[in-house]
Amino acid sequence: MEETTLNNNIHLQLTEKFGEKITAVSEPYGLLSFVTYKDVIINVLSHLKEELKFNFLTDITAVHYPGKDHGIAVVYHLHNMVEKVRVRIKVFISEQNPTIPTATSVWKGANWMERETYDLFGVQFEGHPDLRRILNMDDLGVHPMLKQYPLEDPNRVDKKDEFFGR
Amino acid sequence: MNHNHPVFTDNDPQSELVTLNLGPTHPATHGVFQNVLQLDGERIVSGVSTIGYIHRAFEKIAEHRPFYQITPLTDRLNYCSSPINNMGWHMTVEKLLNIQMPKRVDYLRVIIMELSRIADHIICNTIIGQDTGATTTFLYLFQFREHIYEIFEEVCGARLTTNIGRIGGFERDFNEVAFTKINKFLKEFPVALKEFENLLTRNRIFIDRTAGVAEVTKETALEYSWTGPLLRATGVDYDVRVSDPYSSYQDFDFDVPVGTSGDIYDRYLVRNEEMWQSVRIIEQALVKLKTEPKGIFHADVPEFYLPPKQEVYNNMEALIYHFKIVMGEIDAPKAEVYHAVEGGNGELGFYLINDGGRTPYRLHFRRPSFINYQMFAPMSEGMLLSDAIINMSSMNIIAGELDA
């Protein structure tokens, strides 16, 4: 119950400040999650950090939903260590032009998390001080976590069933 | 090819700077990663870290595997304390499926997780001793990691890549030999740990090499999302076991040690104290186990818990469930779940999106080493090279966790 009131409070304060820009609010497994837009994401993050005491950026990552208008969701997990609340923020951006402002202006620690997200999903974090690949080699050419890239190399013949009488 | 790595040139004839490639494999680094350092004599002027040499695409592989087959991926993240990773993943799935654990299973899990925390901290602290020139400490305490691995072997048959547990509990009950070994460990380890502390904690050379070196303030640590012993050494009282209790940590009485200055000495002290606290937790868990009915080692959820092989041969129900689970046809709700556990290095998070298919739609590991390590190069600037090496060992960087 206590968690729900806390979540309600955060939700109320956010809608007061950002109004229509906070949508799709839900509480899966007690974790307040909502969707916002890329023009206000930095304001939302700073507001959460400065006013609502979400002092800790747990994680930044992305999810690919191919075929949708806004097919890449950038996901932020934030944590208020004093009141022990977490929130999840999602921003849906276009797959053809995946750009979003960088969160390094709010937390310095966002640097590598964004580089990883760029490496795996190709999300361009505008204003990032050093946006280059971190896990894969520089000239890989693709962003491998996108769903169109299969796990196996399609050109490999040593794994094709027909060569094994199957 | 477009390599955007900064290239250090010393065209300037006045320049006395030397570029040093520390790594990718170097006897003084703890894993496969590179640091390009620019040195003015022994002092580091600037540095650039490169990681990714053992990137194995676990997140991509996880999208193609049913829940059970993801377990072996998790214990290869932090191979120094793999049971924590295993159980963190199992608890994530249990949270998704809303499975309630019997208390006895929770206590057994706590015992295993605390043992692996001790193993992880033993490695880190003895290596700090080793890097400051005290090989004795390494030789004295390191055998206890071996004893912990023997307990793991008794419980699940493996030592390093443990694969302890199942969704919904353990594969089998702990036998008497395992409990005997745990009790023996609890009797012998505190003596050795005390001896280890006597050797290092008030050691003049050790203090000179570590106190006041690589100090990090609270604010910087939070700004860079540090967790675990590194964050606690700066004075922030944050431990996932206390702030978001999972398994049955709310039933235990233990302290969260914090430091003051965030230097290497404080990190060493925090880790040492955590080992004492882990011993305390295990002792409490063994007492609590006495009142729990024996022989319970999994929750009663046949549709999710992989049945023992003997039953699969003899029982039709078990065979059907075995088949369904192995083929990845667990009926899991379509949901998103984030679950965090306190790993050896800090908050180990699992972000799982399930869309009702055979495999997770997306699985992301929040790996503490990856996020902690980002500060290594900036904080090394102005430091002596020999101090940076100790700094690296005190950060307990595990290359498997760095890259996933």
PDB file of all heavy atoms in Angstrom, chain A residues 29 57-59 61-62 64 86 90 109 132 138-139 144 147 149, chain B residues 1 3 5 51 60 95-96 223 225 244 336 347 361-362 364 366 374:
ATOM      1  N   TYR A  29       4.517  -4.922 -11.137  1.00  0.00           N
ATOM      2  CA  TYR A  29       5.286  -5.414  -9.985  1.00  0.00           C
ATOM      3  C   TYR A  29       5.709  -4.272  -9.059  1.00  0.00           C
ATOM      4  O   TYR A  29       6.823  -4.258  -8.535  1.00  0.00           O
ATOM      5  CB  TYR A  29       6.494  -6.226 -10.451  1.00  0.00           C
ATOM      6  CG  TYR A  29       6.102  -7.394 -11.315  1.00  0.00           C
ATOM      7  CD1 TYR A  29       6.068  -7.277 -12.697  1.00  0.00           C
ATOM      8  CD2 TYR A  29       5.714  -8.598 -10.738  1.00  0.00           C
ATOM      9  CE1 TYR A  29       5.664  -8.340 -13.485  1.00  0.00           C
ATOM     10  CE2 TYR A  29       5.324  -9.672 -11.520  1.00  0.00           C
ATOM     11  CZ  TYR A  29       5.302  -9.534 -12.893  1.00  0.00           C
ATOM     12  OH  TYR A  29       4.907 -10.586 -13.674  1.00  0.00           O
ATOM     13  N   LEU A  57      21.004   7.185 -11.107  1.00  0.00           N
ATOM     14  CA  LEU A  57      20.652   6.631 -12.414  1.00  0.00           C
ATOM     15  C   LEU A  57      21.082   5.173 -12.419  1.00  0.00           C
ATOM     16  O   LEU A  57      22.273   4.872 -12.425  1.00  0.00           O
ATOM     17  CB  LEU A  57      21.365   7.408 -13.514  1.00  0.00           C
ATOM     18  CG  LEU A  57      21.238   6.856 -14.919  1.00  0.00           C
ATOM     19  CD1 LEU A  57      19.823   7.025 -15.434  1.00  0.00           C
ATOM     20  CD2 LEU A  57      22.206   7.533 -15.846  1.00  0.00           C
ATOM     21  N   THR A  58      20.109   4.259 -12.379  1.00  0.00           N
ATOM     22  CA  THR A  58      20.479   2.846 -12.315  1.00  0.00           C
ATOM     23  C   THR A  58      20.963   2.350 -13.664  1.00  0.00           C
ATOM     24  O   THR A  58      21.984   1.690 -13.757  1.00  0.00           O
ATOM     25  CB  THR A  58      19.278   2.002 -11.862  1.00  0.00           C
ATOM     26  OG1 THR A  58      18.798   2.548 -10.639  1.00  0.00           O
ATOM     27  CG2 THR A  58      19.662   0.577 -11.637  1.00  0.00           C
ATOM     28  N   ASP A  59      20.235   2.703 -14.711  1.00  0.00           N
ATOM     29  CA  ASP A  59      20.527   2.052 -15.978  1.00  0.00           C
ATOM     30  C   ASP A  59      19.890   2.785 -17.147  1.00  0.00           C
ATOM     31  O   ASP A  59      18.831   3.402 -16.998  1.00  0.00           O
ATOM     32  CB  ASP A  59      19.974   0.621 -15.922  1.00  0.00           C
ATOM     33  CG  ASP A  59      20.657  -0.264 -16.919  1.00  0.00           C
ATOM     34  OD1 ASP A  59      21.742   0.114 -17.372  1.00  0.00           O
ATOM     35  OD2 ASP A  59      20.116  -1.323 -17.235  1.00  0.00           O
ATOM     36  N   THR A  61      19.009   1.685 -21.214  1.00  0.00           N
ATOM     37  CA  THR A  61      19.106   0.671 -22.260  1.00  0.00           C
ATOM     38  C   THR A  61      18.010   0.942 -23.286  1.00  0.00           C
ATOM     39  O   THR A  61      17.357   1.978 -23.232  1.00  0.00           O
ATOM     40  CB  THR A  61      19.005  -0.744 -21.678  1.00  0.00           C
ATOM     41  OG1 THR A  61      19.257  -1.680 -22.711  1.00  0.00           O
ATOM     42  CG2 THR A  61      17.661  -1.013 -21.071  1.00  0.00           C
ATOM     43  N   ALA A  62      17.842   0.063 -24.239  1.00  0.00           N
ATOM     44  CA  ALA A  62      16.825   0.268 -25.266  1.00  0.00           C
ATOM     45  C   ALA A  62      16.178  -1.060 -25.626  1.00  0.00           C
ATOM     46  O   ALA A  62      16.686  -2.123 -25.309  1.00  0.00           O
ATOM     47  CB  ALA A  62      17.443   0.901 -26.508  1.00  0.00           C
ATOM     48  N   HIS A  64      13.919  -2.858 -29.021  1.00  0.00           N
ATOM     49  CA  HIS A  64      13.527  -2.665 -30.417  1.00  0.00           C
ATOM     50  C   HIS A  64      12.196  -3.344 -30.679  1.00  0.00           C
ATOM     51  O   HIS A  64      12.032  -4.524 -30.377  1.00  0.00           O
ATOM     52  CB  HIS A  64      14.607  -3.266 -31.328  1.00  0.00           C
ATOM     53  CG  HIS A  64      14.365  -3.012 -32.780  1.00  0.00           C
ATOM     54  ND1 HIS A  64      14.824  -3.831 -33.767  1.00  0.00           N
ATOM     55  CD2 HIS A  64      13.705  -2.005 -33.402  1.00  0.00           C
ATOM     56  CE1 HIS A  64      14.451  -3.339 -34.943  1.00  0.00           C
ATOM     57  NE2 HIS A  64      13.772  -2.244 -34.745  1.00  0.00           N
ATOM     58  N   ARG A  86      11.760   3.239  -7.056  1.00  0.00           N
ATOM     59  CA  ARG A  86      12.364   3.221  -8.383  1.00  0.00           C
ATOM     60  C   ARG A  86      11.325   3.666  -9.398  1.00  0.00           C
ATOM     61  O   ARG A  86      10.124   3.485  -9.182  1.00  0.00           O
ATOM     62  CB  ARG A  86      12.830   1.818  -8.754  1.00  0.00           C
ATOM     63  CG  ARG A  86      13.964   1.278  -7.906  1.00  0.00           C
ATOM     64  CD  ARG A  86      14.223  -0.168  -8.289  1.00  0.00           C
ATOM     65  NE  ARG A  86      15.103  -0.833  -7.339  1.00  0.00           N
ATOM     66  CZ  ARG A  86      16.416  -0.884  -7.455  1.00  0.00           C
ATOM     67  NH1 ARG A  86      17.017  -0.312  -8.463  1.00  0.00           N
ATOM     68  NH2 ARG A  86      17.148  -1.515  -6.558  1.00  0.00           N
ATOM     69  N   LYS A  90      10.189   5.480 -20.280  1.00  0.00           N
ATOM     70  CA  LYS A  90      10.424   5.013 -21.644  1.00  0.00           C
ATOM     71  C   LYS A  90      10.199   6.159 -22.602  1.00  0.00           C
ATOM     72  O   LYS A  90       9.268   6.947 -22.431  1.00  0.00           O
ATOM     73  CB  LYS A  90       9.446   3.895 -21.995  1.00  0.00           C
ATOM     74  CG  LYS A  90       9.899   2.550 -21.573  1.00  0.00           C
ATOM     75  CD  LYS A  90       8.987   1.539 -22.195  1.00  0.00           C
ATOM     76  CE  LYS A  90       9.323   0.158 -21.682  1.00  0.00           C
ATOM     77  NZ  LYS A  90       8.353  -0.810 -22.211  1.00  0.00           N
ATOM     78  N   GLY A 109      27.570   9.596 -15.232  1.00  0.00           N
ATOM     79  CA  GLY A 109      27.620   8.145 -15.392  1.00  0.00           C
ATOM     80  C   GLY A 109      26.830   7.623 -16.568  1.00  0.00           C
ATOM     81  O   GLY A 109      26.953   6.454 -16.922  1.00  0.00           O
ATOM     82  N   ARG A 132      30.947   6.650 -29.362  1.00  0.00           N
ATOM     83  CA  ARG A 132      31.491   5.640 -30.268  1.00  0.00           C
ATOM     84  C   ARG A 132      31.248   4.272 -29.650  1.00  0.00           C
ATOM     85  O   ARG A 132      30.859   4.166 -28.490  1.00  0.00           O
ATOM     86  CB  ARG A 132      32.973   5.887 -30.554  1.00  0.00           C
ATOM     87  CG  ARG A 132      33.826   5.970 -29.326  1.00  0.00           C
ATOM     88  CD  ARG A 132      35.188   6.556 -29.627  1.00  0.00           C
ATOM     89  NE  ARG A 132      35.843   6.905 -28.386  1.00  0.00           N
ATOM     90  CZ  ARG A 132      36.568   6.043 -27.663  1.00  0.00           C
ATOM     91  NH1 ARG A 132      36.738   4.818 -28.078  1.00  0.00           N
ATOM     92  NH2 ARG A 132      37.105   6.403 -26.526  1.00  0.00           N
ATOM     93  N   ASP A 138      35.057  -1.262 -34.077  1.00  0.00           N
ATOM     94  CA  ASP A 138      34.639   0.019 -34.639  1.00  0.00           C
ATOM     95  C   ASP A 138      33.962  -0.119 -36.005  1.00  0.00           C
ATOM     96  O   ASP A 138      33.040   0.600 -36.318  1.00  0.00           O
ATOM     97  CB  ASP A 138      35.845   0.943 -34.770  1.00  0.00           C
ATOM     98  CG  ASP A 138      36.344   1.383 -33.423  1.00  0.00           C
ATOM     99  OD1 ASP A 138      35.529   1.420 -32.484  1.00  0.00           O
ATOM    100  OD2 ASP A 138      37.543   1.690 -33.301  1.00  0.00           O
ATOM    101  N   ASP A 139      34.461  -1.047 -36.833  1.00  0.00           N
ATOM    102  CA  ASP A 139      33.941  -1.116 -38.201  1.00  0.00           C
ATOM    103  C   ASP A 139      32.938  -2.252 -38.370  1.00  0.00           C
ATOM    104  O   ASP A 139      32.880  -2.878 -39.414  1.00  0.00           O
ATOM    105  CB  ASP A 139      35.094  -1.245 -39.201  1.00  0.00           C
ATOM    106  CG  ASP A 139      36.104  -2.299 -38.769  1.00  0.00           C
ATOM    107  OD1 ASP A 139      35.932  -2.840 -37.671  1.00  0.00           O
ATOM    108  OD2 ASP A 139      37.049  -2.564 -39.517  1.00  0.00           O
ATOM    109  N   PRO A 144      23.932  -4.638 -33.587  1.00  0.00           N
ATOM    110  CA  PRO A 144      23.513  -6.043 -33.583  1.00  0.00           C
ATOM    111  C   PRO A 144      22.279  -6.384 -32.765  1.00  0.00           C
ATOM    112  O   PRO A 144      21.684  -7.435 -32.991  1.00  0.00           O
ATOM    113  CB  PRO A 144      24.746  -6.768 -33.041  1.00  0.00           C
ATOM    114  CG  PRO A 144      25.547  -5.749 -32.348  1.00  0.00           C
ATOM    115  CD  PRO A 144      25.280  -4.459 -33.021  1.00  0.00           C
ATOM    116  N   LYS A 147      16.347  -6.214 -34.136  1.00  0.00           N
ATOM    117  CA  LYS A 147      15.759  -7.534 -34.356  1.00  0.00           C
ATOM    118  C   LYS A 147      16.013  -8.085 -35.758  1.00  0.00           C
ATOM    119  O   LYS A 147      15.891  -9.282 -35.969  1.00  0.00           O
ATOM    120  CB  LYS A 147      14.252  -7.476 -34.097  1.00  0.00           C
ATOM    121  CG  LYS A 147      13.895  -7.231 -32.651  1.00  0.00           C
ATOM    122  CD  LYS A 147      13.923  -8.484 -31.829  1.00  0.00           C
ATOM    123  CE  LYS A 147      13.511  -8.184 -30.403  1.00  0.00           C
ATOM    124  NZ  LYS A 147      13.760  -9.311 -29.511  1.00  0.00           N
ATOM    125  N   TYR A 149      18.708  -8.432 -37.258  1.00  0.00           N
ATOM    126  CA  TYR A 149      19.955  -9.181 -37.392  1.00  0.00           C
ATOM    127  C   TYR A 149      19.829 -10.498 -36.652  1.00  0.00           C
ATOM    128  O   TYR A 149      19.640 -10.527 -35.451  1.00  0.00           O
ATOM    129  CB  TYR A 149      21.125  -8.357 -36.848  1.00  0.00           C
ATOM    130  CG  TYR A 149      21.283  -7.073 -37.598  1.00  0.00           C
ATOM    131  CD1 TYR A 149      21.052  -5.847 -36.998  1.00  0.00           C
ATOM    132  CD2 TYR A 149      21.627  -7.090 -38.946  1.00  0.00           C
ATOM    133  CE1 TYR A 149      21.165  -4.675 -37.699  1.00  0.00           C
ATOM    134  CE2 TYR A 149      21.743  -5.923 -39.665  1.00  0.00           C
ATOM    135  CZ  TYR A 149      21.513  -4.711 -39.035  1.00  0.00           C
ATOM    136  OH  TYR A 149      21.611  -3.562 -39.733  1.00  0.00           O
TER     137      TYR A 149
ATOM    138  N   MET B   1      37.776   2.290 -43.052  1.00  0.00           N
ATOM    139  CA  MET B   1      37.781   2.116 -41.594  1.00  0.00           C
ATOM    140  C   MET B   1      37.899   3.465 -40.906  1.00  0.00           C
ATOM    141  O   MET B   1      38.659   4.315 -41.326  1.00  0.00           O
ATOM    142  CB  MET B   1      38.959   1.225 -41.185  1.00  0.00           C
ATOM    143  CG  MET B   1      38.588  -0.221 -41.128  1.00  0.00           C
ATOM    144  SD  MET B   1      39.624  -1.126 -39.990  1.00  0.00           S
ATOM    145  CE  MET B   1      41.151  -1.189 -40.882  1.00  0.00           C
ATOM    146  N   HIS B   3      38.631   4.790 -37.380  1.00  0.00           N
ATOM    147  CA  HIS B   3      38.967   4.628 -35.965  1.00  0.00           C
ATOM    148  C   HIS B   3      38.972   5.987 -35.308  1.00  0.00           C
ATOM    149  O   HIS B   3      39.776   6.839 -35.640  1.00  0.00           O
ATOM    150  CB  HIS B   3      40.341   3.983 -35.818  1.00  0.00           C
ATOM    151  CG  HIS B   3      40.314   2.538 -36.158  1.00  0.00           C
ATOM    152  ND1 HIS B   3      39.808   1.590 -35.319  1.00  0.00           N
ATOM    153  CD2 HIS B   3      40.684   1.882 -37.267  1.00  0.00           C
ATOM    154  CE1 HIS B   3      39.899   0.404 -35.884  1.00  0.00           C
ATOM    155  NE2 HIS B   3      40.414   0.558 -37.072  1.00  0.00           N
ATOM    156  N   HIS B   5      39.504   6.497 -32.165  1.00  0.00           N
ATOM    157  CA  HIS B   5      40.239   6.540 -30.906  1.00  0.00           C
ATOM    158  C   HIS B   5      41.204   7.707 -30.919  1.00  0.00           C
ATOM    159  O   HIS B   5      41.863   7.958 -31.924  1.00  0.00           O
ATOM    160  CB  HIS B   5      41.032   5.250 -30.709  1.00  0.00           C
ATOM    161  CG  HIS B   5      40.155   4.068 -30.542  1.00  0.00           C
ATOM    162  ND1 HIS B   5      39.214   3.984 -29.560  1.00  0.00           N
ATOM    163  CD2 HIS B   5      40.054   2.941 -31.245  1.00  0.00           C
ATOM    164  CE1 HIS B   5      38.597   2.851 -29.662  1.00  0.00           C
ATOM    165  NE2 HIS B   5      39.067   2.202 -30.678  1.00  0.00           N
ATOM    166  N   ILE B  51      37.207  -1.346 -23.732  1.00  0.00           N
ATOM    167  CA  ILE B  51      36.752  -2.661 -23.273  1.00  0.00           C
ATOM    168  C   ILE B  51      36.130  -3.387 -24.461  1.00  0.00           C
ATOM    169  O   ILE B  51      36.142  -2.888 -25.576  1.00  0.00           O
ATOM    170  CB  ILE B  51      35.755  -2.561 -22.113  1.00  0.00           C
ATOM    171  CG1 ILE B  51      34.474  -1.876 -22.568  1.00  0.00           C
ATOM    172  CG2 ILE B  51      36.355  -1.812 -20.942  1.00  0.00           C
ATOM    173  CD1 ILE B  51      33.336  -2.045 -21.614  1.00  0.00           C
ATOM    174  N   LYS B  60      21.905 -10.826 -26.761  1.00  0.00           N
ATOM    175  CA  LYS B  60      21.362 -11.346 -28.018  1.00  0.00           C
ATOM    176  C   LYS B  60      21.068 -12.841 -27.887  1.00  0.00           C
ATOM    177  O   LYS B  60      20.016 -13.316 -28.312  1.00  0.00           O
ATOM    178  CB  LYS B  60      22.376 -11.098 -29.142  1.00  0.00           C
ATOM    179  CG  LYS B  60      21.857 -11.375 -30.533  1.00  0.00           C
ATOM    180  CD  LYS B  60      21.034 -10.247 -31.045  1.00  0.00           C
ATOM    181  CE  LYS B  60      20.519 -10.504 -32.451  1.00  0.00           C
ATOM    182  NZ  LYS B  60      19.607  -9.435 -32.872  1.00  0.00           N
ATOM    183  N   LYS B  95       9.824 -13.651  -9.846  1.00  0.00           N
ATOM    184  CA  LYS B  95       9.046 -12.425  -9.679  1.00  0.00           C
ATOM    185  C   LYS B  95       8.053 -12.291 -10.826  1.00  0.00           C
ATOM    186  O   LYS B  95       6.891 -11.965 -10.626  1.00  0.00           O
ATOM    187  CB  LYS B  95      10.002 -11.236  -9.656  1.00  0.00           C
ATOM    188  CG  LYS B  95       9.421  -9.938  -9.140  1.00  0.00           C
ATOM    189  CD  LYS B  95      10.555  -8.951  -8.953  1.00  0.00           C
ATOM    190  CE  LYS B  95      10.080  -7.579  -8.564  1.00  0.00           C
ATOM    191  NZ  LYS B  95      11.202  -6.633  -8.450  1.00  0.00           N
ATOM    192  N   LEU B  96       8.525 -12.600 -12.030  1.00  0.00           N
ATOM    193  CA  LEU B  96       7.651 -12.536 -13.205  1.00  0.00           C
ATOM    194  C   LEU B  96       6.482 -13.499 -13.061  1.00  0.00           C
ATOM    195  O   LEU B  96       5.343 -13.169 -13.389  1.00  0.00           O
ATOM    196  CB  LEU B  96       8.465 -12.871 -14.454  1.00  0.00           C
ATOM    197  CG  LEU B  96       7.735 -12.915 -15.783  1.00  0.00           C
ATOM    198  CD1 LEU B  96       7.569 -11.513 -16.324  1.00  0.00           C
ATOM    199  CD2 LEU B  96       8.469 -13.760 -16.795  1.00  0.00           C
ATOM    200  N   GLU B 223      27.160  10.348  -8.828  1.00  0.00           N
ATOM    201  CA  GLU B 223      27.096  10.904 -10.182  1.00  0.00           C
ATOM    202  C   GLU B 223      27.451   9.844 -11.224  1.00  0.00           C
ATOM    203  O   GLU B 223      26.892   9.806 -12.304  1.00  0.00           O
ATOM    204  CB  GLU B 223      28.067  12.086 -10.242  1.00  0.00           C
ATOM    205  CG  GLU B 223      28.070  12.869 -11.503  1.00  0.00           C
ATOM    206  CD  GLU B 223      26.858  13.769 -11.635  1.00  0.00           C
ATOM    207  OE1 GLU B 223      26.094  13.952 -10.669  1.00  0.00           O
ATOM    208  OE2 GLU B 223      26.673  14.285 -12.730  1.00  0.00           O
ATOM    209  N   SER B 225      27.041   6.609 -10.781  1.00  0.00           N
ATOM    210  CA  SER B 225      26.218   5.411 -10.551  1.00  0.00           C
ATOM    211  C   SER B 225      26.999   4.248  -9.944  1.00  0.00           C
ATOM    212  O   SER B 225      26.737   3.097 -10.266  1.00  0.00           O
ATOM    213  CB  SER B 225      25.550   4.942 -11.846  1.00  0.00           C
ATOM    214  OG  SER B 225      24.714   5.935 -12.332  1.00  0.00           O
ATOM    215  N   ASP B 244      16.046  -2.984  -0.851  1.00  0.00           N
ATOM    216  CA  ASP B 244      15.024  -3.756  -1.571  1.00  0.00           C
ATOM    217  C   ASP B 244      15.186  -5.220  -1.212  1.00  0.00           C
ATOM    218  O   ASP B 244      15.678  -5.991  -2.019  1.00  0.00           O
ATOM    219  CB  ASP B 244      15.233  -3.628  -3.090  1.00  0.00           C
ATOM    220  CG  ASP B 244      14.541  -2.440  -3.670  1.00  0.00           C
ATOM    221  OD1 ASP B 244      13.358  -2.276  -3.369  1.00  0.00           O
ATOM    222  OD2 ASP B 244      15.193  -1.703  -4.419  1.00  0.00           O
ATOM    223  N   GLU B 336       6.910  -6.723 -17.924  1.00  0.00           N
ATOM    224  CA  GLU B 336       8.281  -6.252 -17.803  1.00  0.00           C
ATOM    225  C   GLU B 336       8.636  -6.285 -16.335  1.00  0.00           C
ATOM    226  O   GLU B 336       7.850  -5.865 -15.501  1.00  0.00           O
ATOM    227  CB  GLU B 336       8.399  -4.811 -18.300  1.00  0.00           C
ATOM    228  CG  GLU B 336       8.214  -4.680 -19.766  1.00  0.00           C
ATOM    229  CD  GLU B 336       8.325  -3.245 -20.232  1.00  0.00           C
ATOM    230  OE1 GLU B 336       9.030  -2.466 -19.580  1.00  0.00           O
ATOM    231  OE2 GLU B 336       7.682  -2.927 -21.231  1.00  0.00           O
ATOM    232  N   GLU B 347      25.071  -3.444  -7.402  1.00  0.00           N
ATOM    233  CA  GLU B 347      23.728  -3.796  -7.822  1.00  0.00           C
ATOM    234  C   GLU B 347      23.745  -4.516  -9.163  1.00  0.00           C
ATOM    235  O   GLU B 347      24.111  -3.948 -10.184  1.00  0.00           O
ATOM    236  CB  GLU B 347      22.870  -2.531  -7.932  1.00  0.00           C
ATOM    237  CG  GLU B 347      21.453  -2.841  -8.351  1.00  0.00           C
ATOM    238  CD  GLU B 347      20.558  -1.618  -8.333  1.00  0.00           C
ATOM    239  OE1 GLU B 347      20.852  -0.683  -7.579  1.00  0.00           O
ATOM    240  OE2 GLU B 347      19.574  -1.611  -9.086  1.00  0.00           O
ATOM    241  N   TYR B 361      11.622 -11.424 -24.746  1.00  0.00           N
ATOM    242  CA  TYR B 361      11.685 -10.488 -25.867  1.00  0.00           C
ATOM    243  C   TYR B 361      12.963  -9.671 -25.777  1.00  0.00           C
ATOM    244  O   TYR B 361      13.600  -9.393 -26.794  1.00  0.00           O
ATOM    245  CB  TYR B 361      10.468  -9.565 -25.862  1.00  0.00           C
ATOM    246  CG  TYR B 361      10.396  -8.696 -27.099  1.00  0.00           C
ATOM    247  CD1 TYR B 361       9.947  -9.246 -28.295  1.00  0.00           C
ATOM    248  CD2 TYR B 361      10.795  -7.372 -27.070  1.00  0.00           C
ATOM    249  CE1 TYR B 361       9.902  -8.482 -29.441  1.00  0.00           C
ATOM    250  CE2 TYR B 361      10.752  -6.607 -28.213  1.00  0.00           C
ATOM    251  CZ  TYR B 361      10.305  -7.160 -29.405  1.00  0.00           C
ATOM    252  OH  TYR B 361      10.284  -6.404 -30.528  1.00  0.00           O
ATOM    253  N   ARG B 362      13.324  -9.322 -24.557  1.00  0.00           N
ATOM    254  CA  ARG B 362      14.554  -8.555 -24.351  1.00  0.00           C
ATOM    255  C   ARG B 362      15.022  -8.821 -22.934  1.00  0.00           C
ATOM    256  O   ARG B 362      14.217  -8.874 -22.002  1.00  0.00           O
ATOM    257  CB  ARG B 362      14.264  -7.073 -24.529  1.00  0.00           C
ATOM    258  CG  ARG B 362      15.368  -6.139 -24.068  1.00  0.00           C
ATOM    259  CD  ARG B 362      16.220  -5.671 -25.232  1.00  0.00           C
ATOM    260  NE  ARG B 362      17.155  -4.637 -24.817  1.00  0.00           N
ATOM    261  CZ  ARG B 362      18.420  -4.868 -24.469  1.00  0.00           C
ATOM    262  NH1 ARG B 362      18.885  -6.094 -24.480  1.00  0.00           N
ATOM    263  NH2 ARG B 362      19.214  -3.883 -24.121  1.00  0.00           N
ATOM    264  N   HIS B 364      18.131  -7.445 -20.354  1.00  0.00           N
ATOM    265  CA  HIS B 364      19.283  -6.578 -20.183  1.00  0.00           C
ATOM    266  C   HIS B 364      19.886  -6.822 -18.812  1.00  0.00           C
ATOM    267  O   HIS B 364      19.172  -6.910 -17.832  1.00  0.00           O
ATOM    268  CB  HIS B 364      18.869  -5.116 -20.328  1.00  0.00           C
ATOM    269  CG  HIS B 364      19.988  -4.151 -20.095  1.00  0.00           C
ATOM    270  ND1 HIS B 364      21.019  -4.001 -20.988  1.00  0.00           N
ATOM    271  CD2 HIS B 364      20.261  -3.310 -19.080  1.00  0.00           C
ATOM    272  CE1 HIS B 364      21.871  -3.103 -20.520  1.00  0.00           C
ATOM    273  NE2 HIS B 364      21.441  -2.670 -19.362  1.00  0.00           N
ATOM    274  N   ARG B 366      22.128  -5.292 -15.913  1.00  0.00           N
ATOM    275  CA  ARG B 366      22.810  -4.106 -15.380  1.00  0.00           C
ATOM    276  C   ARG B 366      24.015  -4.629 -14.625  1.00  0.00           C
ATOM    277  O   ARG B 366      23.900  -5.163 -13.530  1.00  0.00           O
ATOM    278  CB  ARG B 366      21.887  -3.337 -14.443  1.00  0.00           C
ATOM    279  CG  ARG B 366      22.501  -2.045 -13.969  1.00  0.00           C
ATOM    280  CD  ARG B 366      22.323  -1.799 -12.498  1.00  0.00           C
ATOM    281  NE  ARG B 366      22.779  -0.462 -12.142  1.00  0.00           N
ATOM    282  CZ  ARG B 366      23.951  -0.223 -11.560  1.00  0.00           C
ATOM    283  NH1 ARG B 366      24.753  -1.193 -11.267  1.00  0.00           N
ATOM    284  NH2 ARG B 366      24.289   1.006 -11.268  1.00  0.00           N
ATOM    285  N   GLN B 374      33.838   2.692 -15.566  1.00  0.00           N
ATOM    286  CA  GLN B 374      33.870   3.874 -16.410  1.00  0.00           C
ATOM    287  C   GLN B 374      34.672   5.007 -15.765  1.00  0.00           C
ATOM    288  O   GLN B 374      35.238   5.840 -16.441  1.00  0.00           O
ATOM    289  CB  GLN B 374      32.435   4.276 -16.720  1.00  0.00           C
ATOM    290  CG  GLN B 374      32.001   5.628 -16.385  1.00  0.00           C
ATOM    291  CD  GLN B 374      30.777   6.024 -17.180  1.00  0.00           C
ATOM    292  OE1 GLN B 374      30.859   6.849 -18.036  1.00  0.00           O
ATOM    293  NE2 GLN B 374      29.644   5.427 -16.895  1.00  0.00           N
TER     294      GLN B 374
END
